[in-house]
């Protein structure tokens, strides 16, 4: 029997619990700082058992043995609580030395650096799944099916531990496992996930800043699927965008500056009416042909 | 019986024909420069009858009476053929003086200016509907249902004619009719449709230009729904993007420059770590809150 603990029973933690518990050879212990969440998780059989963990430790220290028993601990708290949570577990001596600790944070470098120093058996993870919802009520089965689950080992990572986590992601969650360094992960998600939030938000800002009232009114009426799609991530949860920018700041800035240079190139092509005629020069048609051709590479 | 002619039987012209012909009091004459399209339109009963119009005029000049009989002519050719098509009809004396001519081009100012000089009873139009497909095989019923159909009258526009077109759009196609000046239309679509194509294309360009191979490989694997949506219009038909930039050049440039200023503001907020603390200053949280709040105004 594999004993898995999950701290933080929100959308991701709760959904992990549902899928893991569906296997006969896994026992899931839920850990939350909200009593109501513990009750709901038990009542809805999302976990086998749930225990309450307050800021200063377990509400009932007699539960410590359940924690010491864990083979794996998933930390599924908001990103800024991952390190504080791990610190609490270590300071309170809640973990057995063998326990593999992993997290599900959407940035990896800063977390992996700190967590690896605190705990030898730490391996960073990032399941690329989610919905607009949050909280335990949003937990659902098969959230990770066919989604990419990234692990970000370092030189120090124990291979056996990494394989245990990869097997769980692949065989128990149905995810496609991808492995890269924490640095590579953070640069890649800055490009394809974090920068797009800012790029999309700047579009909405441009539309709402239109100072001609007739044009603004028409824009609101005429906007259709193109605007809907391009503006979606920029109109999402502000806390999430803020978290991306704060925790992956350098990579997001790097991507946005490269983006600005590319947009400037497009603007110049339009200004100078470089449409398609001159064969050996950069022109708008060539650029739009290359983006049409390349986009599917990112959507396999 | 209302006699309506449609030149150009592609996605828009063909779908217009399908919906208009479904009403007992409308007779639809299709006009195409491809014999095969004429045949298909008749065989599939998309039109009541189709006639062939070559670059130098009707293939059979005996058909001229069918044209002279029309109450309304919709020009549904590609945008750069709208004016040449209207010129041909006038030079060849194919139109009766009473015939109302309208078009479906996605830019209006340049077309309306020229067309109104050529034909008194011209009124610009733009049904905001479409799919990724093109050609007569893409024609389908109800394409315009609940879509916005914009008309762009000028001071010279005959009110009775305008009301005839508005009634058709509303009652025969099921569209929501919107009326504004050609200038307002072009500025609005630059904001919510044409600039987003360039903004989205620049994102794809930034991703494919990543020069670290590990990061590029990871980006391709990790890209999910956020990238999919933000990049959709930038990965579309290059000809369409080119047409927007060419025909609505000044407004697209204006929108893109305002966009660049807004993006620069976001970049500066991230660089200077203006997250959310300082109440009276611009900060990233405030901006993302305003974009989240305002986006639904454009999606009613």
């Amino acid at each position: 029997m594999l004993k898995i603990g999950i701290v933080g029973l929100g959308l991701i933690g709760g959904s992990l619990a549902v899928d893991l518990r569906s296997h006969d050879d896994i026992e899931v212990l839920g850990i939350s700082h909200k009593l109501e969440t513990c009750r709901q998780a038990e009542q809805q059989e999302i976990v086998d058992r749930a225990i309450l963990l307050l800021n200063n430790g377990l509400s009932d220290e007699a539960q410590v043995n359940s924690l010491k028993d864990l083979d794996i601990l998933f930390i599924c708290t908001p990103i800024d609580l991952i390190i504080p949570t791990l610190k609490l577990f270590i300071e309170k001596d809640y973990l057995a030395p063998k326990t593999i600790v992993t997290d599900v944070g959407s940035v990896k470098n800063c977390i992996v650096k700190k967590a690896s120093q605190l705990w030898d058996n730490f391996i960073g993870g990032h399941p690329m799944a989610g919905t607009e919802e949050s909280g335990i009520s949003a937990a659902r089965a098969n959230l990770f099916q066919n989604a990419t689950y990234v692990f970000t080992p370092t030189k120090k990572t124990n291979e056996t531990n990494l394989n245990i986590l990869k097997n769980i992601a692949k065989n128990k969650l149905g995810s496609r496992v991808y492995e890269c360094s924490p640095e590579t992960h953070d640069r890649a998600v800055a490009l394809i996930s974090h920068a797009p939030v800012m790029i999309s938000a700047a579009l909405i800002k441009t539309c709402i800043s239109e100072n001609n009232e007739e044009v603004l009114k028409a824009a609101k009426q005429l906007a259709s699927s193109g605007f809907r799609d391009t503006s979606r991530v920029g109109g999402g949860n502000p806390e999430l965008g803020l978290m991306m920018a704060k925790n992956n700041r350098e990579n997001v800035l790097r991507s946005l500056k490269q983006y600005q240079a590319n947009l400037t190139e497009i603007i110049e092509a339009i200004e100078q009416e470089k449409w398609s005629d001159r064969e050996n020069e950069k022109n708008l048609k060539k650029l739009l042909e290359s983006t049409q051709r390349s986009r599917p590479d990112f959507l396999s």
Side-chain angles (χ1 to χ4, degrees), chain A:
Chain A
M1 183 65 79
L2 199 63
K3 292 184 178 173
I4 296 183
I6 300 176
V7 205
L9 297 170
L11 167 68
I12 300 294
S15 299
L16 272 176
V18 171
D19 282 358
L20 294 174
R21 195 174 172 280
S22 72
H23 298 277
D24 290 339
D25 54 348
I26 296 180
E27 197 179 285
V28 175
L29 175 74
I31 305 147
S32 171
H33 69 291
K34 288 183 198 153
L35 187 60
E36 182 45 38
T37 300
C38 289
R39 277 187 190 141
Q40 197 178 334
E42 281 184 351
Q43 271 166 12
Q44 296 178 10
E45 301 190 347
I46 290 171
V47 298
D48 290 288
R49 208 155 58 79
I51 60 177
L52 188 63
L53 178 77
L54 302 173
N55 286 340
N56 55 353
L58 287 170
S59 66
D60 173 7
E61 285 287 338
Q63 308 268 20
V64 67
N65 290 332
S66 314
L67 296 177
K68 286 246 171 189
D69 239 19
L70 295 174
D71 297 297
I72 305 169
L73 178 70
F74 283 83
I75 303 181
C76 303
T77 64
I79 204 155
D80 46 344
L81 294 179
I82 295 173
I83 297 300
T85 301
L86 178 58
K87 275 186 179 159
L88 181 68
F89 270 76
I90 294 170
E91 279 164 15
K92 292 282 181 176
D93 197 24
Y94 287 159
L95 293 172
K98 59 151 193 180
T99 307
I100 304 169
V101 178
T102 187
D103 75 317
V104 297
S106 61
V107 296
K108 296 269 61 84
N109 202 24
C110 60
I111 290 170
V112 172
K113 265 190 189 156
K114 288 177 199 159
S116 304
Q117 284 174 348
L118 294 167
W119 194 250
D120 280 343
N121 288 334
F122 179 87
I123 298 173
H126 180 200
M128 309 286 293
T131 70
E132 310 274 294
E133 298 157 274
S134 60
I136 185 139
S137 304
R140 62 175 189 76
N142 302 320
L143 181 64
F144 309 100
Q145 188 115 46
N146 298 319
T148 300
Y149 201 126
V150 191
F151 289 104
T152 58
T154 66
K155 284 172 203 161
K156 289 187 197 164
T157 299
N158 177 310
E159 271 303 309
T160 313
N161 288 347
L162 177 61
N163 285 330
I164 290 170
L165 291 181
K166 283 164 69 176
N167 273 328
I168 288 174
K170 194 178 160 199
N171 300 319
K172 307 295 185 186
L173 302 173
S175 302
R176 298 186 296 176
V177 171
Y178 192 80
E179 208 178 305
C180 63
S181 71
E183 295 80 8
T184 297
H185 168 276
D186 286 2
R187 286 178 67 172
V189 294
L191 264 180
I192 51 85
S193 170
H194 300 172
V197 169
M198 309 304 153
I199 287 164
S200 175
L203 170 62
I204 303 173
K205 188 67 169 43
T206 305
C207 292
I208 60 185
S209 308
E210 172 57 51
N211 51 25
N212 179 312
E213 275 189 33
E214 284 294 306
V215 174
L216 180 62
K217 193 179 148 210
K220 285 180 179 174
Q221 189 63 36
L222 305 189
S224 62
S225 62
F227 177 83
R228 181 186 297 273
D229 284 359
T230 317
S231 68
R232 185 176 66 81
V233 296
N237 183 349
E239 291 295 340
L240 211 63
L242 202 59
M243 175 283 292
M244 292 167 173
K246 269 187 184 176
N247 290 288
N248 202 11
R249 183 171 162 271
E250 277 179 43
N251 290 313
V252 171
L253 284 173
R254 175 177 165 274
S255 293
L256 288 178
K257 286 176 181 178
Q258 289 175 342
Y259 175 85
Q260 268 195 322
N262 284 306
L263 187 62
T264 300
E265 207 171 276
I266 292 179
I267 290 174
E268 284 173 1
I270 299 175
E271 268 178 336
Q272 294 162 29
E273 307 196 27
K274 290 181 184 171
W275 306 130
S276 58
D277 337 278
R278 288 163 287 191
E279 275 296 316
N280 296 313
E281 255 189 9
K282 283 177 182 176
N283 64 55
L284 189 63
K285 192 177 178 198
K286 260 191 204 168
L287 185 134
L288 293 175
E289 283 170 348
S290 80
T291 59
Q292 182 188 41
R293 199 168 48 239
S294 304
R295 179 171 175 261
D297 297 345
F298 293 81
L299 301 171
S300 53

